[in-house]
Amino acid sequence: MAILPITVYGDKILRQKAKPVKSIDDNLIDKIRNMFDSMRNANGIGLAANQIGYTESVFVVDLEGVEGYEKFKPMVFINPEIILQSDETKIIEEGCLSLPLLRAEVERPEKIKIRYLDTDENLKEIEADDLFARVILHEYDHLIGKLIPDRVNEEIKKQLQPELEKIKKREIKIDYPITE
Ligand code: ZN
C-alpha cells in the first residue's frame, strides 16, 4: 500500500494527455492499487492516474461510500472512451482532489456510454447517468488534460482565478498529501 501525493493545479502532468495502456501487467496493477489508496486517503470518489503522477490512461471510481450508491463496486477504467453523451445536460457542483477546497457548478451530459478495459482485459461497455456519469466524465477529463475551470463559462472561470492561484502557490491547508 502506498499513499502518494496528489498533483495539484499548476502541475504540468495535469495538462498532459494520458498514454494508452499497452499491457495490463503487475506494474499497472500496483499503480492502480496506489490510486485507490491515495484516493481513499483523500476521501475522493474518483481519481485519474495523472493525479498521482502516472501517465497511463486509467482512472478509478469508488462510490460505495456515497448515500444511494452503496451497491456500486469500486471500478477501474483502462483506456476509456466516451462513446455516447446525451444532449440533456445537468448542472452539478463538483470538487476535485487536484483543486483542493474549490467547488464549482459544472454543466455536463446527464447520461453517457463508456467503453473501457477492466483489469482482466475484458472490453466493456456500460451506460451511466447522474452522479456515476458525472464522476466518469470528470475523471475522463483528467486523462485528456482538462480540469473543472475548462468546463465552466468565462465568468465563473474568472471568479475561480484567485482560488486557483492560491492552490498553485500551495497557500492552502488540507489534510491529505499534495505535491511540493
Ligand atoms: Zn479531479
PDB file of all heavy atoms in Angstrom, residues 78-106:
ATOM      1  N   ILE A  78      -9.712   1.301 -17.810  1.00  0.00           N
ATOM      2  CA  ILE A  78      -8.442   1.358 -18.536  1.00  0.00           C
ATOM      3  C   ILE A  78      -8.717   1.714 -19.999  1.00  0.00           C
ATOM      4  O   ILE A  78      -9.646   1.171 -20.605  1.00  0.00           O
ATOM      5  CB  ILE A  78      -7.707   0.006 -18.429  1.00  0.00           C
ATOM      6  CG1 ILE A  78      -7.421  -0.316 -16.949  1.00  0.00           C
ATOM      7  CG2 ILE A  78      -6.405   0.013 -19.240  1.00  0.00           C
ATOM      8  CD1 ILE A  78      -6.966  -1.744 -16.688  1.00  0.00           C
ATOM      9  N   ASN A  79      -7.924   2.607 -20.547  1.00  0.00           N
ATOM     10  CA  ASN A  79      -8.112   3.111 -21.923  1.00  0.00           C
ATOM     11  C   ASN A  79      -9.567   3.475 -22.222  1.00  0.00           C
ATOM     12  O   ASN A  79     -10.138   3.051 -23.232  1.00  0.00           O
ATOM     13  CB  ASN A  79      -7.636   2.072 -22.954  1.00  0.00           C
ATOM     14  CG  ASN A  79      -6.140   1.813 -22.859  1.00  0.00           C
ATOM     15  OD1 ASN A  79      -5.408   2.597 -22.262  1.00  0.00           O
ATOM     16  ND2 ASN A  79      -5.682   0.721 -23.452  1.00  0.00           N
ATOM     17  N   PRO A  80     -10.180   4.268 -21.361  1.00  0.00           N
ATOM     18  CA  PRO A  80     -11.604   4.565 -21.550  1.00  0.00           C
ATOM     19  C   PRO A  80     -11.863   5.469 -22.748  1.00  0.00           C
ATOM     20  O   PRO A  80     -11.008   6.253 -23.150  1.00  0.00           O
ATOM     21  CB  PRO A  80     -11.973   5.304 -20.258  1.00  0.00           C
ATOM     22  CG  PRO A  80     -10.706   5.944 -19.821  1.00  0.00           C
ATOM     23  CD  PRO A  80      -9.621   4.978 -20.198  1.00  0.00           C
ATOM     24  N   GLU A  81     -13.061   5.285 -23.294  1.00  0.00           N
ATOM     25  CA  GLU A  81     -13.528   6.127 -24.400  1.00  0.00           C
ATOM     26  C   GLU A  81     -14.982   6.442 -24.133  1.00  0.00           C
ATOM     27  O   GLU A  81     -15.777   5.526 -23.910  1.00  0.00           O
ATOM     28  CB  GLU A  81     -13.535   5.310 -25.698  1.00  0.00           C
ATOM     29  CG  GLU A  81     -12.335   5.403 -26.588  1.00  0.00           C
ATOM     30  CD  GLU A  81     -12.598   4.458 -27.772  1.00  0.00           C
ATOM     31  OE1 GLU A  81     -12.388   3.247 -27.601  1.00  0.00           O
ATOM     32  OE2 GLU A  81     -13.070   4.952 -28.807  1.00  0.00           O
ATOM     33  N   ILE A  82     -15.351   7.693 -24.175  1.00  0.00           N
ATOM     34  CA  ILE A  82     -16.765   8.063 -24.050  1.00  0.00           C
ATOM     35  C   ILE A  82     -17.373   7.905 -25.443  1.00  0.00           C
ATOM     36  O   ILE A  82     -16.980   8.595 -26.373  1.00  0.00           O
ATOM     37  CB  ILE A  82     -16.938   9.524 -23.570  1.00  0.00           C
ATOM     38  CG1 ILE A  82     -16.133   9.793 -22.285  1.00  0.00           C
ATOM     39  CG2 ILE A  82     -18.416   9.858 -23.389  1.00  0.00           C
ATOM     40  CD1 ILE A  82     -16.646   9.147 -21.027  1.00  0.00           C
ATOM     41  N   ILE A  83     -18.301   6.962 -25.589  1.00  0.00           N
ATOM     42  CA  ILE A  83     -18.814   6.702 -26.943  1.00  0.00           C
ATOM     43  C   ILE A  83     -20.192   7.312 -27.186  1.00  0.00           C
ATOM     44  O   ILE A  83     -20.619   7.398 -28.322  1.00  0.00           O
ATOM     45  CB  ILE A  83     -18.799   5.186 -27.271  1.00  0.00           C
ATOM     46  CG1 ILE A  83     -19.504   4.375 -26.185  1.00  0.00           C
ATOM     47  CG2 ILE A  83     -17.369   4.691 -27.460  1.00  0.00           C
ATOM     48  CD1 ILE A  83     -19.621   2.901 -26.533  1.00  0.00           C
ATOM     49  N   LEU A  84     -20.856   7.727 -26.153  1.00  0.00           N
ATOM     50  CA  LEU A  84     -22.142   8.424 -26.316  1.00  0.00           C
ATOM     51  C   LEU A  84     -22.335   9.426 -25.177  1.00  0.00           C
ATOM     52  O   LEU A  84     -21.986   9.137 -24.039  1.00  0.00           O
ATOM     53  CB  LEU A  84     -23.297   7.428 -26.273  1.00  0.00           C
ATOM     54  CG  LEU A  84     -23.819   6.816 -27.571  1.00  0.00           C
ATOM     55  CD1 LEU A  84     -24.927   5.827 -27.230  1.00  0.00           C
ATOM     56  CD2 LEU A  84     -24.342   7.887 -28.522  1.00  0.00           C
ATOM     57  N   GLN A  85     -22.901  10.562 -25.513  1.00  0.00           N
ATOM     58  CA  GLN A  85     -23.232  11.552 -24.490  1.00  0.00           C
ATOM     59  C   GLN A  85     -24.620  12.075 -24.797  1.00  0.00           C
ATOM     60  O   GLN A  85     -24.932  12.383 -25.940  1.00  0.00           O
ATOM     61  CB  GLN A  85     -22.274  12.737 -24.546  1.00  0.00           C
ATOM     62  CG  GLN A  85     -20.809  12.362 -24.537  1.00  0.00           C
ATOM     63  CD  GLN A  85     -19.915  13.568 -24.237  1.00  0.00           C
ATOM     64  OE1 GLN A  85     -20.365  14.566 -23.721  1.00  0.00           O
ATOM     65  NE2 GLN A  85     -18.651  13.455 -24.563  1.00  0.00           N
ATOM     66  N   SER A  86     -25.450  12.173 -23.780  1.00  0.00           N
ATOM     67  CA  SER A  86     -26.811  12.676 -24.027  1.00  0.00           C
ATOM     68  C   SER A  86     -26.779  14.163 -24.326  1.00  0.00           C
ATOM     69  O   SER A  86     -25.874  14.881 -23.895  1.00  0.00           O
ATOM     70  CB  SER A  86     -27.689  12.424 -22.799  1.00  0.00           C
ATOM     71  OG  SER A  86     -27.216  13.168 -21.687  1.00  0.00           O
ATOM     72  N   ASP A  87     -27.792  14.620 -25.071  1.00  0.00           N
ATOM     73  CA  ASP A  87     -27.925  16.052 -25.309  1.00  0.00           C
ATOM     74  C   ASP A  87     -28.380  16.752 -24.030  1.00  0.00           C
ATOM     75  O   ASP A  87     -28.043  17.900 -23.790  1.00  0.00           O
ATOM     76  CB  ASP A  87     -28.938  16.324 -26.420  1.00  0.00           C
ATOM     77  CG  ASP A  87     -28.419  15.828 -27.769  1.00  0.00           C
ATOM     78  OD1 ASP A  87     -27.178  15.810 -27.950  1.00  0.00           O
ATOM     79  OD2 ASP A  87     -29.242  15.444 -28.624  1.00  0.00           O
ATOM     80  N   GLU A  88     -29.173  16.011 -23.239  1.00  0.00           N
ATOM     81  CA  GLU A  88     -29.626  16.609 -21.977  1.00  0.00           C
ATOM     82  C   GLU A  88     -28.428  16.768 -21.063  1.00  0.00           C
ATOM     83  O   GLU A  88     -27.606  15.853 -20.940  1.00  0.00           O
ATOM     84  CB  GLU A  88     -30.662  15.731 -21.256  1.00  0.00           C
ATOM     85  CG  GLU A  88     -31.864  15.311 -22.060  1.00  0.00           C
ATOM     86  CD  GLU A  88     -31.629  14.013 -22.804  1.00  0.00           C
ATOM     87  OE1 GLU A  88     -31.565  12.970 -22.164  1.00  0.00           O
ATOM     88  OE2 GLU A  88     -31.484  14.071 -24.043  1.00  0.00           O
ATOM     89  N   THR A  89     -28.384  17.901 -20.416  1.00  0.00           N
ATOM     90  CA  THR A  89     -27.268  18.148 -19.512  1.00  0.00           C
ATOM     91  C   THR A  89     -27.795  18.376 -18.105  1.00  0.00           C
ATOM     92  O   THR A  89     -28.999  18.510 -17.894  1.00  0.00           O
ATOM     93  CB  THR A  89     -26.469  19.392 -19.951  1.00  0.00           C
ATOM     94  OG1 THR A  89     -27.355  20.510 -19.980  1.00  0.00           O
ATOM     95  CG2 THR A  89     -25.841  19.182 -21.314  1.00  0.00           C
ATOM     96  N   LYS A  90     -26.878  18.394 -17.181  1.00  0.00           N
ATOM     97  CA  LYS A  90     -27.238  18.624 -15.798  1.00  0.00           C
ATOM     98  C   LYS A  90     -26.144  19.508 -15.178  1.00  0.00           C
ATOM     99  O   LYS A  90     -24.974  19.356 -15.520  1.00  0.00           O
ATOM    100  CB  LYS A  90     -27.295  17.266 -15.076  1.00  0.00           C
ATOM    101  CG  LYS A  90     -28.205  17.253 -13.889  1.00  0.00           C
ATOM    102  CD  LYS A  90     -28.460  15.839 -13.387  1.00  0.00           C
ATOM    103  CE  LYS A  90     -29.419  15.874 -12.216  1.00  0.00           C
ATOM    104  NZ  LYS A  90     -29.687  14.543 -11.693  1.00  0.00           N
ATOM    105  N   ILE A  91     -26.548  20.367 -14.278  1.00  0.00           N
ATOM    106  CA  ILE A  91     -25.556  21.183 -13.571  1.00  0.00           C
ATOM    107  C   ILE A  91     -25.397  20.610 -12.168  1.00  0.00           C
ATOM    108  O   ILE A  91     -26.376  20.487 -11.428  1.00  0.00           O
ATOM    109  CB  ILE A  91     -25.997  22.662 -13.507  1.00  0.00           C
ATOM    110  CG1 ILE A  91     -26.060  23.244 -14.929  1.00  0.00           C
ATOM    111  CG2 ILE A  91     -25.032  23.470 -12.636  1.00  0.00           C
ATOM    112  CD1 ILE A  91     -26.689  24.624 -15.014  1.00  0.00           C
ATOM    113  N   ILE A  92     -24.196  20.210 -11.848  1.00  0.00           N
ATOM    114  CA  ILE A  92     -23.905  19.647 -10.521  1.00  0.00           C
ATOM    115  C   ILE A  92     -22.645  20.324  -9.984  1.00  0.00           C
ATOM    116  O   ILE A  92     -21.717  20.601 -10.739  1.00  0.00           O
ATOM    117  CB  ILE A  92     -23.668  18.109 -10.592  1.00  0.00           C
ATOM    118  CG1 ILE A  92     -24.888  17.376 -11.164  1.00  0.00           C
ATOM    119  CG2 ILE A  92     -23.322  17.542  -9.214  1.00  0.00           C
ATOM    120  CD1 ILE A  92     -24.733  15.848 -11.245  1.00  0.00           C
ATOM    121  N   GLU A  93     -22.632  20.571  -8.689  1.00  0.00           N
ATOM    122  CA  GLU A  93     -21.437  21.147  -8.073  1.00  0.00           C
ATOM    123  C   GLU A  93     -20.354  20.072  -7.978  1.00  0.00           C
ATOM    124  O   GLU A  93     -20.613  18.968  -7.533  1.00  0.00           O
ATOM    125  CB  GLU A  93     -21.758  21.688  -6.684  1.00  0.00           C
ATOM    126  CG  GLU A  93     -20.654  22.569  -6.154  1.00  0.00           C
ATOM    127  CD  GLU A  93     -20.896  23.015  -4.719  1.00  0.00           C
ATOM    128  OE1 GLU A  93     -20.921  22.153  -3.818  1.00  0.00           O
ATOM    129  OE2 GLU A  93     -21.048  24.219  -4.516  1.00  0.00           O
ATOM    130  N   GLU A  94     -19.174  20.407  -8.424  1.00  0.00           N
ATOM    131  CA  GLU A  94     -18.061  19.452  -8.413  1.00  0.00           C
ATOM    132  C   GLU A  94     -16.890  19.964  -7.593  1.00  0.00           C
ATOM    133  O   GLU A  94     -16.672  21.163  -7.482  1.00  0.00           O
ATOM    134  CB  GLU A  94     -17.538  19.229  -9.849  1.00  0.00           C
ATOM    135  CG  GLU A  94     -18.443  18.406 -10.711  1.00  0.00           C
ATOM    136  CD  GLU A  94     -17.835  18.139 -12.095  1.00  0.00           C
ATOM    137  OE1 GLU A  94     -16.598  18.130 -12.246  1.00  0.00           O
ATOM    138  OE2 GLU A  94     -18.626  17.952 -13.029  1.00  0.00           O
ATOM    139  N   GLY A  95     -16.149  19.006  -7.074  1.00  0.00           N
ATOM    140  CA  GLY A  95     -14.875  19.311  -6.470  1.00  0.00           C
ATOM    141  C   GLY A  95     -13.847  18.423  -7.132  1.00  0.00           C
ATOM    142  O   GLY A  95     -14.185  17.575  -7.959  1.00  0.00           O
ATOM    143  N   CYS A  96     -12.582  18.613  -6.788  1.00  0.00           N
ATOM    144  CA  CYS A  96     -11.510  17.825  -7.406  1.00  0.00           C
ATOM    145  C   CYS A  96     -10.343  17.768  -6.434  1.00  0.00           C
ATOM    146  O   CYS A  96      -9.958  18.798  -5.888  1.00  0.00           O
ATOM    147  CB  CYS A  96     -11.081  18.506  -8.709  1.00  0.00           C
ATOM    148  SG  CYS A  96      -9.694  17.700  -9.529  1.00  0.00           S
ATOM    149  N   LEU A  97      -9.796  16.581  -6.221  1.00  0.00           N
ATOM    150  CA  LEU A  97      -8.673  16.467  -5.285  1.00  0.00           C
ATOM    151  C   LEU A  97      -7.471  17.294  -5.739  1.00  0.00           C
ATOM    152  O   LEU A  97      -6.647  17.685  -4.925  1.00  0.00           O
ATOM    153  CB  LEU A  97      -8.265  14.997  -5.122  1.00  0.00           C
ATOM    154  CG  LEU A  97      -9.302  14.078  -4.464  1.00  0.00           C
ATOM    155  CD1 LEU A  97      -8.768  12.648  -4.385  1.00  0.00           C
ATOM    156  CD2 LEU A  97      -9.709  14.574  -3.089  1.00  0.00           C
ATOM    157  N   SER A  98      -7.384  17.579  -7.032  1.00  0.00           N
ATOM    158  CA  SER A  98      -6.274  18.388  -7.549  1.00  0.00           C
ATOM    159  C   SER A  98      -6.562  19.884  -7.496  1.00  0.00           C
ATOM    160  O   SER A  98      -5.710  20.700  -7.843  1.00  0.00           O
ATOM    161  CB  SER A  98      -5.959  17.981  -8.992  1.00  0.00           C
ATOM    162  OG  SER A  98      -5.476  16.649  -9.025  1.00  0.00           O
ATOM    163  N   LEU A  99      -7.776  20.210  -7.048  1.00  0.00           N
ATOM    164  CA  LEU A  99      -8.154  21.619  -6.856  1.00  0.00           C
ATOM    165  C   LEU A  99      -8.711  21.738  -5.445  1.00  0.00           C
ATOM    166  O   LEU A  99      -9.905  22.006  -5.258  1.00  0.00           O
ATOM    167  CB  LEU A  99      -9.211  22.042  -7.878  1.00  0.00           C
ATOM    168  CG  LEU A  99      -8.895  21.864  -9.361  1.00  0.00           C
ATOM    169  CD1 LEU A  99     -10.142  22.084 -10.209  1.00  0.00           C
ATOM    170  CD2 LEU A  99      -7.797  22.823  -9.798  1.00  0.00           C
ATOM    171  N   PRO A 100      -7.857  21.498  -4.441  1.00  0.00           N
ATOM    172  CA  PRO A 100      -8.355  21.396  -3.072  1.00  0.00           C
ATOM    173  C   PRO A 100      -9.215  22.592  -2.668  1.00  0.00           C
ATOM    174  O   PRO A 100      -8.850  23.728  -2.942  1.00  0.00           O
ATOM    175  CB  PRO A 100      -7.068  21.352  -2.229  1.00  0.00           C
ATOM    176  CG  PRO A 100      -6.003  20.904  -3.154  1.00  0.00           C
ATOM    177  CD  PRO A 100      -6.391  21.403  -4.500  1.00  0.00           C
ATOM    178  N   LEU A 101     -10.327  22.284  -2.023  1.00  0.00           N
ATOM    179  CA  LEU A 101     -11.279  23.242  -1.453  1.00  0.00           C
ATOM    180  C   LEU A 101     -12.121  23.983  -2.484  1.00  0.00           C
ATOM    181  O   LEU A 101     -13.087  24.646  -2.147  1.00  0.00           O
ATOM    182  CB  LEU A 101     -10.566  24.268  -0.536  1.00  0.00           C
ATOM    183  CG  LEU A 101      -9.689  23.671   0.572  1.00  0.00           C
ATOM    184  CD1 LEU A 101      -9.001  24.781   1.354  1.00  0.00           C
ATOM    185  CD2 LEU A 101     -10.503  22.798   1.514  1.00  0.00           C
ATOM    186  N   LEU A 102     -11.766  23.901  -3.736  1.00  0.00           N
ATOM    187  CA  LEU A 102     -12.539  24.605  -4.765  1.00  0.00           C
ATOM    188  C   LEU A 102     -13.818  23.825  -5.104  1.00  0.00           C
ATOM    189  O   LEU A 102     -13.795  22.606  -5.197  1.00  0.00           O
ATOM    190  CB  LEU A 102     -11.662  24.798  -6.003  1.00  0.00           C
ATOM    191  CG  LEU A 102     -12.231  25.560  -7.200  1.00  0.00           C
ATOM    192  CD1 LEU A 102     -11.145  26.421  -7.830  1.00  0.00           C
ATOM    193  CD2 LEU A 102     -12.802  24.589  -8.229  1.00  0.00           C
ATOM    194  N   ARG A 103     -14.909  24.552  -5.260  1.00  0.00           N
ATOM    195  CA  ARG A 103     -16.162  23.956  -5.697  1.00  0.00           C
ATOM    196  C   ARG A 103     -16.698  24.816  -6.846  1.00  0.00           C
ATOM    197  O   ARG A 103     -16.566  26.035  -6.817  1.00  0.00           O
ATOM    198  CB  ARG A 103     -17.228  23.946  -4.592  1.00  0.00           C
ATOM    199  CG  ARG A 103     -16.813  23.398  -3.238  1.00  0.00           C
ATOM    200  CD  ARG A 103     -16.665  21.917  -3.194  1.00  0.00           C
ATOM    201  NE  ARG A 103     -17.887  21.191  -3.564  1.00  0.00           N
ATOM    202  CZ  ARG A 103     -17.936  19.872  -3.658  1.00  0.00           C
ATOM    203  NH1 ARG A 103     -16.845  19.146  -3.441  1.00  0.00           N
ATOM    204  NH2 ARG A 103     -19.053  19.260  -3.991  1.00  0.00           N
ATOM    205  N   ALA A 104     -17.293  24.165  -7.816  1.00  0.00           N
ATOM    206  CA  ALA A 104     -17.886  24.927  -8.911  1.00  0.00           C
ATOM    207  C   ALA A 104     -19.012  24.129  -9.540  1.00  0.00           C
ATOM    208  O   ALA A 104     -18.948  22.898  -9.605  1.00  0.00           O
ATOM    209  CB  ALA A 104     -16.826  25.267  -9.956  1.00  0.00           C
ATOM    210  N   GLU A 105     -20.020  24.846  -9.991  1.00  0.00           N
ATOM    211  CA  GLU A 105     -21.124  24.185 -10.686  1.00  0.00           C
ATOM    212  C   GLU A 105     -20.710  23.964 -12.128  1.00  0.00           C
ATOM    213  O   GLU A 105     -20.259  24.886 -12.797  1.00  0.00           O
ATOM    214  CB  GLU A 105     -22.371  25.058 -10.601  1.00  0.00           C
ATOM    215  CG  GLU A 105     -22.830  25.237  -9.167  1.00  0.00           C
ATOM    216  CD  GLU A 105     -24.311  25.531  -9.071  1.00  0.00           C
ATOM    217  OE1 GLU A 105     -24.786  26.328  -9.890  1.00  0.00           O
ATOM    218  OE2 GLU A 105     -24.964  24.957  -8.181  1.00  0.00           O
ATOM    219  N   VAL A 106     -20.842  22.722 -12.550  1.00  0.00           N
ATOM    220  CA  VAL A 106     -20.384  22.364 -13.891  1.00  0.00           C
ATOM    221  C   VAL A 106     -21.531  21.695 -14.642  1.00  0.00           C
ATOM    222  O   VAL A 106     -22.208  20.816 -14.113  1.00  0.00           O
ATOM    223  CB  VAL A 106     -19.182  21.392 -13.827  1.00  0.00           C
ATOM    224  CG1 VAL A 106     -18.625  21.137 -15.225  1.00  0.00           C
ATOM    225  CG2 VAL A 106     -18.082  21.950 -12.919  1.00  0.00           C
TER     226      VAL A 106
END
